[in-house]
């Protein structure tokens, strides 16, 4: 007995797509009204590298705390709280900087020109080197001191 197989071609094929349909997004930046361009900011404002150095000093300090003191659960909980507070602090700091006056495109001076130039502060103009030391110096010193405290604690507890 031979069985004949028949193909059912009359039934329509239903296509199921797991990918949602593409939508055309707006090309405008919703935060564009918050950005204000100022001509003097590029010539007398802080260079972005100073802010990166400042954040790097605090990150190095936090990393030394984690490397030296994360021994038991209570210390880890304290370090988690400190890390959370630092994240909030830097989110607010950099958010405020992003909402501040921005230099006009193409007017940002180079880092060596920033170091040789002047920075406008609330109390007057200071040299770029002085501004760098005032802003990025304390976190760098704190990072070195945190590493020294951690090394001393590890030597005494070993």
């Amino acid at each position: 007995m031979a069985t004949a197989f028949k193909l059912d071609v009359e039934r329509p094929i239903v296509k199921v797509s797991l990918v949602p349909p593409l939508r055309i997004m707006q090309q405008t930046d919703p935060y564009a009204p918050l950005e204000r361009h100022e001509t003097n900011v590029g010539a007398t404002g802080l260079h972005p590298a100073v802010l990166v150095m400042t954040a790097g000093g605090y990150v190095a300090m936090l990393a030394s705390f984690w490397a030296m003191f994360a021994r038991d659960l209570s210390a880890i909980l304290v370090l988690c709280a400190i890390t959370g507070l630092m994240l909030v602090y830097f989110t607010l700091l950099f958010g405020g900087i992003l909402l501040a006056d921005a230099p006009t495109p193409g007017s940002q001076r180079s880092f060596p020109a920033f170091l040789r130039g002047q920075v406008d502060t609330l109390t007057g103009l200071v040299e770029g080197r002085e501004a760098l030391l005032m802003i990025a110096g304390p976190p760098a010193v704190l990072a070195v001191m945190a590493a020294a405290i951690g090394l001393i604690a590890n030597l005494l507890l070993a």
Side-chain angles (χ1 to χ4, degrees):
M1 288 177 96
T3 322
F5 291 101
K6 254 171 94 178
L7 223 51
D8 189 10
V9 259
E10 296 177 11
R11 186 178 288 173
I13 298 174
V14 178
K15 292 184 179 179
V16 177
S17 176
L18 299 176
V19 179
L22 294 176
R23 297 177 190 207
I24 298 176
M25 301 287 289
Q26 291 182 356
Q27 296 298 323
T28 59
D29 184 13
Y31 301 105
L34 297 176
E35 186 176 16
R36 301 174 304 191
H37 291 288
E38 182 65 37
T39 54
N40 291 338
V41 172
T44 60
L46 279 179
H47 195 275
V50 175
L51 301 171
V52 172
M53 288 180 202
T54 304
Y58 284 118
V59 167
M61 179 181 70
L62 189 62
S64 69
F65 284 155
W66 275 98
M68 302 293 181
F69 296 113
R71 294 177 181 223
D72 57 353
L73 183 61
S74 61
I76 290 174
L77 289 175
V78 171
L79 287 171
C80 285
I82 291 171
T83 304
L85 289 173
M86 286 184 76
L87 284 174
V88 169
Y89 172 74
F90 282 110
T91 301
L92 291 173
L93 177 70
F94 287 119
I97 290 168
L98 290 175
L99 289 178
D101 291 337
T104 54
S107 69
Q108 182 68 49
R109 58 188 167 175
S110 66
F111 190 69
F114 163 77
L115 291 176
R116 288 188 307 270
Q118 293 188 333
V119 177
D120 192 16
T121 65
L122 185 63
T123 58
L125 293 173
V126 296
E127 290 185 18
R129 288 187 182 99
E130 292 177 31
L132 176 65
L133 285 175
M134 285 190 277
I135 296 170
V141 171
L142 285 173
V144 170
M145 294 304 293
I149 289 169
L151 285 173
I152 291 169
N154 278 329
L155 290 174
L156 291 177
L157 297 174

